[in-house]
């Protein structure tokens, strides 16, 4: 054995020696703590518990099967990170909403810090720092504010329709561009110039890194945080290579557009954007030369996460909508019939039509249910010991709400794998007795997604605009036969269709004229 191999083996051996006593302590504490038993779950191995049982491909489906065996609360014994999975809405509401004062903390991931993703206040612990970030975000994205962004959403949606006419083979890229363009204009007052715009690619790469980090070998460092100190050249240290590659991307995504706005405000140009308003308030409060560092960091972080998260989550939902329409032509026809009746052939839909477009609203709800954007939501963390249904849940436990399982519960949503907007409608109105997917898909309790109002309105407008003007069909293969649209989804903190195999054409010559005329007029 040469000297290099000996040093690697020696390092791995030393790390193992350091980790085993810690694992033994956790196992011992688990076995004696409390008079009540832990929730049931799959039997693990000594010291490492369920580490080897953790699925890396569609874990939400595996967890759903485990819940059928062990119940709606299952316990996973993971070194340094005891975890429970919640498999039903009932238990999620009981713990994450009714007991939100102790279930609103966040599980902290080592890889988030290594990638510089810890600026995201959705990942921050339950603290005053988190409250300050959320307050700043909520100020500009609450339900009473988002209507101010309707003109931006309408403009970008109609520009998107023209791009779909000009190059319909690029559906996935066009979908990503529209939502990046909307949020960049709102947050930084910046224009997206095309599919290869730097800011579109930055957001895509940064979110891709986060997805990879949460589902690959990087997860091992979460169980043994000491591993974060090993060099990137050590075998098995893929998470370090991932961090070295993507950390600059994440930081550039967060900093570059914000620094441009900061220069504009300092030069007196002003801005109507969210970040411009945040900076102007700081300037008025602290003076032009020396802004408060903590407050500036909050502004930078809030702008950055609005840009990254909005661009990715709504993109996923809209791509799933295209897949669904190619699979369910009857749904498409029903939606288009409603649009023809409410909007008519001589107009394009806008937010004024929202209340009358009941079936379109149902299509948007079913899209959020059928293809869940965040299948496991964001993990919560328990702040103190708790008891539930005769079981003991220890302080520090990571809590995973299986949103996918809840939204595919046949008791709540019969035939859950089918795309059926009708399930939300009764007497030509949205049925209040059917649970809205929005109450699950955007999280629970005090950690519910504060950007849900903007995301929901953007998705509605896209669906209405596309179905009013375009026809969606499954793509054809080289042999001329129809390609069966796939419902396979990627695995990650955000789940998206692996491909969007569709053919898109204008519904009529008049529909194409409406799109091109509006865009030519808007550009004058």
């Amino acid at each position: 054995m040469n000297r290099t191999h000996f040093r690697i083996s020696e390092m791995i051996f030393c790390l193992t020696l350091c980790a085993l006593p810690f694992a033994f302590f956790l196992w011992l504490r688990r076995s004696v703590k409390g008079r009540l038993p832990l929730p049931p779950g799959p039997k693990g191995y000594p010291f490492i518990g369920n580490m080897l049982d953790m699925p890396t491909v569609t874990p939400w489906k595996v967890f759903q099967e485990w819940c059928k065996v062990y119940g709606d609360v299952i316990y996973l014994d993971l070194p340094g990170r005891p975890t429970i999975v919640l498999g039903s809405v009932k238990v999620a509401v009981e713990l994450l909403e009714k007991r939100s004062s102790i279930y609103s903390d966040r599980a902290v991931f080592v890889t988030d810090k290594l990638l510089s993703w810890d600026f995201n206040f959705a990942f921050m612990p339950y603290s005053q720092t988190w409250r300050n970030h959320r307050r700043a975000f909520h100020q500009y994205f609450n339900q009473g504010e988002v209507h101010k962004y309707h003109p931006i959403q309408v403009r970008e949606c109609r520009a998107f329709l023209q791009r779909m006419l000009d190059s319909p083979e690029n559906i996935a890229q066009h979908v990503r561009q529209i939502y990046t363009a909307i949020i960049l204009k709102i947050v930084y007052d910046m224009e997206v110039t095309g599919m290869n715009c730097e800011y579109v690619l930055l957001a895509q790469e940064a979110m891709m890194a986060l997805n990879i980090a949460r589902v690959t070998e990087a997860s091992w460092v979460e169980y043994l945080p000491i591993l974060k100190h090993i060099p990137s050249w050590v075998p098995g240290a893929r998470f370090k290579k991932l961090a070295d590659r993507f950390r600059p991307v994440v930081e550039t995504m967060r900093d570059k557009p914000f620094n441009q706005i900061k220069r504009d405000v300092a030069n007196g140009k002003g801005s109507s954007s969210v970040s411009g308003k945040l900076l102007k308030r700081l300037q008025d409060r602290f003076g032009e030369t020396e802004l408060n560092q903590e407050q500036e960091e909050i502004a930078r972080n809030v702008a950055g996460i609005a840009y990254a998260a909005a661009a990715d989550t709504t993109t996923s939902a809209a791509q799933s909508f295209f897949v669904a329409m190619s699979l369910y032509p009857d749904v498409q026809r029903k939606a288009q019939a409603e649009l023809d009746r409410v909007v008519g052939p001589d107009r394009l839909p806008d937010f004024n039509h929202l209340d009358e477009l009941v079936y379109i609203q149902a299509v948007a709800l079913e899209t959020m249910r059928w293809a869940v954007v965040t299948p496991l939501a964001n993990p919560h963390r328990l702040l103190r010991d708790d008891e539930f249904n005769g079981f003991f849940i220890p302080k520090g436990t990571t809590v995973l709400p299986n949103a996918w399982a809840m939204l595919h519960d046949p008791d709540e949503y019969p035939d859950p794998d089918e795309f059926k907007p009708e399930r939300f409608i009764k007497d030509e109105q949205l049925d209040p007795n059917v649970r809205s997917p929005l109450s699950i898909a955007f999280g629970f309790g005090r950690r519910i997604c504060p950007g849900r109002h903007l995301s929901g309105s953007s998705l509605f407008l896209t669906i209405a605009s596309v179905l009013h003007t375009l026809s969606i069909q499954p793509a054809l293969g080289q042999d001329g036969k129809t390609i069966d649209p796939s419902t396979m989804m990627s695995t990650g903190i955000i789940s998206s269709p692996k491909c969007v195999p569709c053919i898109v054409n204008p519904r009529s010559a008049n529909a194409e004229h409406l799109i091109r005329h509006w865009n030519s007029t808007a550009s004058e």
Side-chain angles (χ1 to χ4, degrees):
M1 180 182 293
N2 60 40
R3 181 172 298 179
T4 300
H5 287 162
F6 177 78
R7 286 177 177 173
I8 293 173
S9 300
E10 185 181 53
M11 179 175 293
I12 294 174
F13 177 72
C14 291
L15 289 172
T16 303
L17 285 181
C18 291
L20 282 177
F22 176 65
F24 177 74
F25 169 76
L26 292 173
W27 174 82
L28 185 65
R29 181 179 184 271
R30 174 187 183 276
S31 65
V32 301
K33 179 69 177 179
R35 295 186 299 272
L36 295 174
L38 293 164
K43 184 178 180 180
Y45 299 90
F47 304 119
I48 63 171
N50 298 115
M51 281 181 67
L52 300 181
D53 299 321
M54 294 300 288
T56 57
V57 178
T58 58
W60 44 90
K61 293 186 179 181
V62 178
F63 293 155
Q64 184 187 44
E65 292 304 311
W66 287 353
C67 283
K68 291 177 182 178
V69 176
Y70 301 108
D72 289 342
V73 180
I74 60 174
Y75 184 85
L76 301 176
D77 182 15
L78 301 173
R81 193 180 288 274
T83 299
I84 59 172
V85 178
L86 309 182
S88 72
V89 176
K90 181 179 179 180
V91 297
V93 169
E94 176 62 38
L95 298 181
L96 304 183
E97 295 189 355
K98 294 183 179 179
R99 307 186 192 186
S100 60
S101 61
I102 60 171
Y103 279 90
S104 293
D105 201 16
R106 279 291 192 228
V108 177
F109 288 85
V110 175
T111 46
D112 291 350
K113 177 69 174 178
L114 293 175
L115 286 166
S116 289
W117 257 111
D118 54 332
F119 82 90
N120 180 357
F121 73 90
F123 298 163
M124 290 180 181
Y126 189 60
S127 62
Q128 189 59 48
T129 299
W130 168 76
R131 293 186 190 92
N132 292 340
H133 279 77
R134 184 179 175 89
R135 186 181 302 115
F137 188 99
H138 180 77
Q139 181 178 357
Y140 296 100
F141 293 97
N142 65 71
Q143 193 168 13
E145 284 290 308
V146 294
H147 72 277
K148 297 178 181 178
Y149 311 132
H150 285 176
I152 295 173
Q153 292 168 292
V154 169
R155 186 194 70 182
E156 294 299 339
C157 191
R158 294 177 181 178
F160 161 75
L161 293 177
Q162 177 148 328
R163 291 193 294 270
M164 292 292 289
L165 292 177
D166 295 339
S167 54
E169 69 277 7
N170 295 320
I171 293 175
Q173 294 94 324
H174 293 325
V175 169
R176 181 169 295 278
Q177 182 177 337
I178 176 183
Y179 298 117
T180 308
I182 287 172
I183 200 63
L184 272 173
K185 184 66 177 177
I186 291 171
V187 174
Y188 300 112
D189 197 22
M190 291 184 174
E191 306 285 346
V192 167
T193 56
M195 287 188 299
N196 295 320
C197 173
E198 177 186 14
Y199 295 113
V200 175
L201 299 178
L202 278 172
Q204 183 175 3
E205 278 198 88
M207 293 302 299
M208 179 180 68
L210 184 62
N211 273 339
I212 294 173
R214 291 288 182 92
V215 297
T216 63
E217 298 95 319
S219 60
W220 283 78
V221 75
E222 308 300 343
Y223 308 136
L224 299 172
I226 194 173
L227 295 178
K228 68 183 179 182
H229 299 295
I230 67 175
S232 58
W233 51 264
V234 172
R238 185 184 176 190
F239 63 91
K240 293 295 289 286
K241 296 183 178 70
L242 184 75
D244 292 343
R245 175 186 171 189
F246 285 105
R247 186 188 306 108
V249 174
V250 175
E251 292 174 352
T252 301
M253 176 206 69
R254 179 195 62 197
D255 296 340
K256 188 169 183 177
F258 186 84
N259 289 339
Q260 180 60 54
I261 287 294
K262 186 178 176 182
R263 288 190 290 269
D264 290 345
V265 172
N267 292 330
K269 295 180 181 179
S271 173
S272 59
S273 67
V274 168
S275 55
K277 291 175 182 176
L278 285 167
L279 282 168
K280 189 65 169 62
R281 288 181 62 195
L282 290 178
Q283 187 182 82
D284 293 343
R285 181 178 178 185
F286 298 104
E288 297 184 6
T289 58
E290 188 173 341
L291 300 179
N292 179 276
Q293 184 175 356
E294 179 183 358
Q295 294 297 317
E296 182 183 335
E297 182 180 4
I298 291 173
R300 182 186 301 271
N301 292 347
V302 163
I305 192 52
Y307 158 38
D312 215 64
T313 54
T314 319
T315 292
S316 171
Q319 289 177 351
S320 294
F321 155 74
F322 276 94
V323 174
M325 292 304 98
S326 64
L327 282 167
Y328 295 90
D330 288 345
V331 171
Q332 186 175 174
R333 283 190 288 269
K334 289 180 183 178
Q336 289 170 337
E338 181 183 66
L339 285 157
D340 292 343
R341 175 176 56 82
V342 172
V343 180
D346 300 320
R347 294 184 296 174
L348 292 171
D350 58 32
F351 290 105
N352 293 321
H353 302 114
L354 173 62
D355 292 339
E356 295 181 83
L357 293 173
V358 176
Y359 195 77
I360 295 297
Q361 292 183 63
V363 170
L365 290 174
E366 183 70 342
T367 298
M368 297 296 292
R369 186 206 66 80
W370 184 69
V372 189
V373 174
T374 52
L376 292 175
N378 246 330
H380 292 233
R381 182 176 179 273
L382 182 56
L383 287 167
R384 62 172 174 80
D385 291 348
D386 194 23
E387 297 177 7
F388 179 69
N389 282 357
F391 295 111
F392 171 70
I393 306 176
K395 174 184 176 180
T397 294
T398 296
V399 183
L400 290 176
N402 191 347
W404 186 90
M406 298 174 198
L407 290 168
H408 286 75
D409 180 352
D411 293 333
E412 291 266 2
Y413 308 103
D415 300 320
D417 294 332
E418 296 297 313
F419 193 93
K420 293 183 175 181
E422 293 81 4
R423 70 175 81 244
F424 298 107
I425 299 176
K426 183 178 181 180
D427 299 329
E428 299 183 352
Q429 298 294 325
L430 292 180
D431 187 352
N433 296 315
V434 178
R435 190 186 303 275
S436 170
L438 306 184
S439 66
I440 300 171
F442 287 109
F444 296 90
R446 301 179 188 183
R447 303 306 294 247
I448 191 170
C449 173
R452 62 193 182 279
H453 304 298
L454 180 68
S455 177
S457 61
S458 293
L459 182 63
F460 161 80
L461 184 64
T462 303
I463 290 173
S465 300
V466 167
L467 291 179
H468 191 54
T469 57
L470 304 175
S471 174
I472 304 168
Q473 298 173 330
L476 301 177
Q478 293 182 347
D479 58 1
K481 296 182 179 180
T482 298
I483 298 175
D484 185 24
S486 173
T487 57
M488 294 295 293
M489 303 290 286
S490 64
T491 297
I493 190 171
I494 293 175
S495 182
S496 303
K498 289 189 174 181
C499 61
V500 187
C502 304
I503 294 175
V504 176
N505 292 302
R507 284 185 68 197
S508 65
N510 187 61
E512 180 172 359
H513 171 74
L514 279 175
I515 294 169
R516 296 194 184 281
H517 177 72
W518 191 94
N519 280 281
S520 63
T521 303
S523 63
E524 292 177 357

